[in-house]
Amino acid sequence: MLPPRFPKLRAVPWTIPCKMVSYKLLTPEDVYFSGPTSVEEPLEESVEDKPPESLLLEKKIVCSTTTGFIALGTFLLVVCGVWLIGTIFWLQSPSSKFPHRPPPPGSALAPSSAPQQGPERTAPPPESGSTIPEAWRFDCYPEKGVVVTRELCEARNCCFLPTSTEMPPAKNGVPWCFYPPSFPTYALDALNDTDLGYTGQLTKKEKTYYPKDIETLQLDAYFETDSRLHVKITDPATARFEVPISVPNATKKASNPLYTVEFSKNPFGLVVKRTSTGTVVLNTTVAPLFFADQFLQVSTSLPTQYVYGLGEHRSSFLHNVEWNTLTMWARDVPPMELTNLYGVHPFYLGMEPGGLAYGVFLLNSNAMDVVLQPAPALTWRTIGGVLDIYVFLGPEPSSVVQQYLEVVGFPAMPVYWALGYHLCRWGYKSSNGTWDVVKQMRNYGMPQDVQWNDIDYMDRSLDFTFDPQQFATLPDMVKDLHSHGQRYVMILDPGISSTQEPGTYWPYDEGLKRGVFINDSTGQTLIGKVWPGFTAFPDFSDHETHEWWFENLQKYHTKVSFDGLWIDMNEPSNFVDGSLKGCPSNDLENPPYTPGILGGTLRSKTLCASALHKTSVHYNLHSMYGLMEAKASSSALKRILGKRPFVISRSSFPSQGRYSGHWLGDNRSQWKDLYTSIPGMLTFNILGIPLVGADICGFGGSTAEELCVRWTQLGAFYPFTRNHNSIDEKAQDPTAFSPLARTAMKEVLLLRYSLFPLLYTLFHHAHLEGHTVARPLLFEFPEDPKTYAIDRQFLWGKSLLVTPVLDPGVTYVTGYFPKGLWYDFFTGDSVRTSGEELKLQAPLDKINVHLREGAVIPTQRPNTTLWVSSGQPLHLISTLTDEGTAEGDLFWDDGESIDTYETNQYAYIVFRVAKNTITSEVLHDNVEASYITVETASFYGVKKEPFNVTVNSQDAAFTYASNQVLTVTDLGLSLSQNFTISWT
C-alpha cells in the first residue's frame, strides 16, 4: 500500500543505487518450450528476446535517485568504485539467475490510436530501482492503511523509491515500495510430458514476508483445446480448497493449438504467445510468484491496455489501467466506484495489437485484488485456494466469450415472458395498491408482462409469508394476473428469522431440525440480523438445504401461485459484522493480507469468515453464496412449475447464467446511473449472464420525468427490463407521468415487444453457442480501435444499433457508426460511413435505432403482453448490402417448456436475400411455427424500383419509396413453409 501522506519536508538522502552485477543471457537449458518446438529442442533466442542486463539485490536494498550535484572528478571516482565492486560481486554470484524484468509485449496503445504491429517494446534494464520504469513497478507493500516507510519496505527486501519528495502519490498510484529483479521466488526444477501437456515441480529456497510459504508446488499445464490452455499451480502435499463448479475435463492434448507456451526455469515464469502473430498474451516473469497459505499472487504483462470484464464493479466498460485496483468479495452496497460490489467474476477479455482478442480466467472464489497498471500489466492477488488459470485464444472477441462459457457453462434459455416489461417497487404497501397499478397500466394500454413485489408483501419480513392484513388479496391479484396472460414474481431473502415462537414458523423449525443452517466456528447456528431481525442463514452448499428450500417454496406456492423468484441480499448481507456474538480472532478472520474490501474486514456486513458450511468455511464459499442459492431456486422452480425457471439474483459468480439473470443493484435516479447501466449490461453479457438490466428510472431518490422517459427508452433495450424504485419515493411507473411522457414510454415498450422474435432468437444463440445478446461494438468491429471504448451505444446481436440519449435537456445525440452502410430502423433511410460520429435528432419521444447492412430482422405486431404478441404476424426487414445480400434467422418454440432445443421441440428458419430474392428455409420444423404467418416484408436499399414482385411465383402488390425501400404486404405466408419473394 502506498503511504497516504509522505512527510512534506522529508528529504531523500543521496545513496548508492541498488548494487549491479552483469548476467550472462538466459541459456537454452533455462527455458522450456512447447508448441511447434519440443522440450528436447529448445528454440534459439532471437536478439529481440534477449533479456537486458540486470541487477541482483543484497538482503538490505537501497534504491533511490541522486538528489545533489558533485564535482566531475568525484563522480568519476564513485563510478569507478561502483564498477569495481560490481565486478567483484558478479564474479562471486550464481550465473543462472534470470531476473524479473519488464517483458517485451507489443506496444501499448492509446485509446484513440490504432493497434500497430511492430517491434516489441522492452523496458530499460533495471540497473537500479530508479531505472525500473514506474509503469513496471509491482507493489511490494499492498496492505491497506499502512504508511510505508523505507524501513518497512527494505525489511521485505524491496526497493523504496518515492516518486515525489513533496506530495504523496495518488490513491492506487505508482508504488513507492516495489520488487527488485532478484526478489526470491520459485524455480522450475523439472518439466515432464503428460498426455495433456506438462507437469513440473516448483521450489523456492528463501522464505518471503507472508507466513506459511509453501516451498514446493506442482505445476500442471493442460493443452485442453486448440484455443484453451489450462494451467494449475497447487500444493502437492496438502489438499487446498478448489472452486466446486463443474468444468470440462479434456481427454486428449490439443493437436494444433493457437498458442505456444514457454517456461522460464529460474526464476520460474510462464509465457504464452499467440502462434500466428507472436503476441505475448500472458507473461508471468514480470514479477515474483507468491504461494503462501493465505497469500497467492501472480502478475502478467498485457499486450495492450484494452481490458474488459472483471466484474462486478461500477466503471466504464473499458477498464482504466492507470493503477486501478479492483477488489472482489461479494458485498451488499449501493453501486459506487472503486468498491467491491455484489458479484465476483475473475475473468478478463483483452484486445491485442491488430484486433485479435484473448481471455484469462482465474477460477478462485477467495477474496482478491486485481491490480491494473499502465505497463500495461495485471496482478492477481488472492488469499486462498489455488492458482487455477485458463487462457482463451479467441481469436475474435465473441470466440473468447464462447470459450470461457465452455468452461463455466452456457446461460439458460429464458422463459418467453422474462423478456417482457416488468414493474416493481418497494412500497406499494398493499396488494390492492399493487393491483391498482396493474389496472392503471392496462387502462392506458401499456405493455406489461410481469408484476413484482418487494419485501413489504411479507408478514413482518418473514420469508414464505404474506401480510394477512395489507396483502390479504395477494392470491386473488396473482390469479387476476394469470387470467390476463401476466406473471407474478416475489422477492426472497436468504435470512430466516430465528426468533419466532417454536412451532409457529416452519422454515426455521424444520431447518434447525435438519441442520440446514450455517454454523459458527463452535458448531452452533450462526445468528445475524437482516430485515426480520435475528436470522439464520441457509447453507446452500448442502443438498439437504436445496430440498428444504424446495419444500418451503412448494408450500408457499399452494397459497400464492408465483411464477418466478427474485433472490436478494444473497452476498449474503448481514446488518451486523459477522454474527451477533462477533467472530473469533484467528487467521481466517484476520488474514495476513486483506484485499481492499469495503469496511476493511472479510466479515464487514456479512458472515464470519470462519463460519462453517457443510463443504468448507465461509472464507472460501462467501462469494459463491448467490450462485448456490440461484442453483437451489432454479431447481425448485423446475420441480414446482414444470417450466423454465425465472430467477433474478443480486449476487453472482461464474456459471451464474446457467441458473439466473441479474439486475445491477440499487442504483439512483441520476443521469450518471443511466449511463453506467450500459457498461454494466455489456460486462455481464461477456461474463455469461445475458439476462441483465438496471432498475429503470432509478431505485433510490425520486426520478424526473425527462430522466424516466430517457431511461425507459434505454431500458426497453436491456435484455432484462424492469422499472423499480424505493419506498417513500414518488411513483415512477409509466402511468404516473404526463400524457406526452406516457405516450413516449408506451411507444418504446411496444417497440421492444415488436422486436421480441429477434431478442428471443439472440437468447437462443446465447444458450446454444455462448453469444452475447447486448453486444459492445468492438465485438463486431474489432479492427476498428475507435469502438474499443464505446459504452454509450451498443448492439443487439450483430446488426441492431442502439444510440440512447444519456444527458438532460438535449434533443440530439452523437453516435459512432463504424464503416459500412447503416439504415434507420423506422424509415429505412440509409447512411454510408467510413467510421465516423454522426449527430442524430432525438426529441423526447424518440430513441435512435439503426440496422447494419446485410441483416434480415424478424419483427412482430406488438401487443400489451408477449403471450398475445407472440401469436401475431411477422414483419421481415431486410437491410441490403451494395451487392443486394442479407441474411437472418428465427428460433421459435412454445416459449416455456424446458430444454426445447435439446429435445427437438422447436422451429428454426433461415432467411437469405440474394439476386433480388428472399428465401425462407425451414431447417427444423415444429408445430409452433405453423401458428405464425409472415404478413409483410420490407427491403431497405433496393436501388431501382421493381417492375413487378412475385411471392412463390405469384404476382404481388408492392410499394417503393424514394428512399429505396421496397415493401410487400398482405403476404399471409406460413412460417412453417419455405417461401420466396422476388422482384425484377
Side-chain angles (χ1 to χ4, degrees), residues 539-823:
D539 174 10
F540 288 107
S541 74
D542 183 21
H543 177 73
E544 181 63 28
T545 307
H546 288 221
E547 191 65 24
W548 165 86
W549 191 247
F550 158 71
E551 291 174 21
N552 277 287
L553 288 167
Q554 187 180 47
K555 287 175 179 289
Y556 188 73
H557 192 263
T558 62
K559 304 173 185 176
V560 180
S561 52
F562 60 88
D563 301 283
L565 291 178
W566 171 19
I567 53 177
D568 191 16
M569 307 289 286
N570 55 349
E571 292 70 33
S573 178
N574 188 359
F575 293 169
V576 299
D577 291 348
S579 77
L580 292 182
K581 298 192 300 184
C583 302
S585 179
N586 57 32
D587 288 345
L588 293 179
E589 301 296 339
N590 305 295
Y593 176 80
T594 301
I597 296 164
L598 181 66
T601 64
L602 298 179
R603 61 184 173 273
S604 179
K605 296 297 180 281
T606 189
L607 310 187
C608 297
S610 56
L612 301 176
H613 297 249
K614 291 294 192 303
T615 57
S616 189
V617 289
H618 197 69
Y619 184 91
N620 295 323
L621 292 173
H622 168 82
S623 291
M624 297 185 63
Y625 193 83
L627 169 65
M628 296 185 296
E629 186 190 11
K631 188 174 182 178
S633 301
S634 174
S635 173
L637 287 180
K638 283 183 180 180
R639 294 169 67 183
I640 294 169
L641 303 175
K643 299 175 182 178
R644 293 177 210 165
F646 175 79
V647 181
I648 293 293
S649 175
R650 189 168 73 180
S651 189
S652 62
F653 191 79
S655 78
Q656 189 88 23
R658 298 175 60 186
Y659 311 107
S660 83
H662 171 65
W663 98 102
L664 297 174
D666 294 343
N667 59 6
R668 299 172 181 85
S669 297
Q670 299 174 1
W671 289 91
K672 182 177 182 179
D673 294 67
L674 172 64
Y675 153 68
T676 58
S677 70
I678 300 178
M681 170 184 66
L682 295 178
T683 294
F684 272 92
N685 267 266
I686 71 172
L687 296 175
I689 309 175
L691 188 63
V692 62
D695 285 344
I696 294 171
C697 302
F699 173 74
S702 290
T703 193
E705 181 167 286
E706 180 191 9
L707 174 61
C708 200
V709 170
R710 293 303 193 189
W711 210 324
T712 304
Q713 290 170 343
L714 169 59
F717 290 91
Y718 293 156
F720 165 60
T721 297
R722 183 186 70 164
N723 179 317
H724 176 49
N725 69 323
S726 183
I727 195 167
D728 296 329
E729 304 292 352
K730 292 191 302 184
Q732 63 184 37
D733 63 89
T735 69
F737 298 100
S738 69
L740 178 62
R742 284 200 307 268
T743 300
M745 293 181 186
K746 178 179 178 179
E747 287 180 352
V748 78
L749 292 176
L750 288 172
L751 172 61
R752 175 188 177 86
Y753 277 47
S754 74
L755 289 166
F756 172 73
L758 168 65
L759 184 59
Y760 195 65
T761 301
L762 291 175
F763 268 99
H764 164 69
H765 289 298
H767 169 63
L768 183 64
E769 300 158 301
H771 290 180
T772 51
V773 175
R775 186 170 303 173
L777 272 71
L778 76 91
F779 270 49
E780 291 298 320
F781 303 94
E783 74 288 347
D784 182 356
K786 293 179 182 178
T787 66
Y788 288 9
I790 290 177
D791 57 9
R792 297 174 69 88
Q793 296 171 272
F794 57 93
L795 295 158
W796 267 13
K798 65 181 181 179
S799 300
L800 189 144
L801 175 64
V802 182
T803 308
V805 172
L806 304 175
D807 300 298
V810 299
T811 57
Y812 69 90
V813 64
T814 300
Y816 181 74
F817 286 74
K819 182 179 180 180
L821 189 58
W822 296 87
Y823 295 91

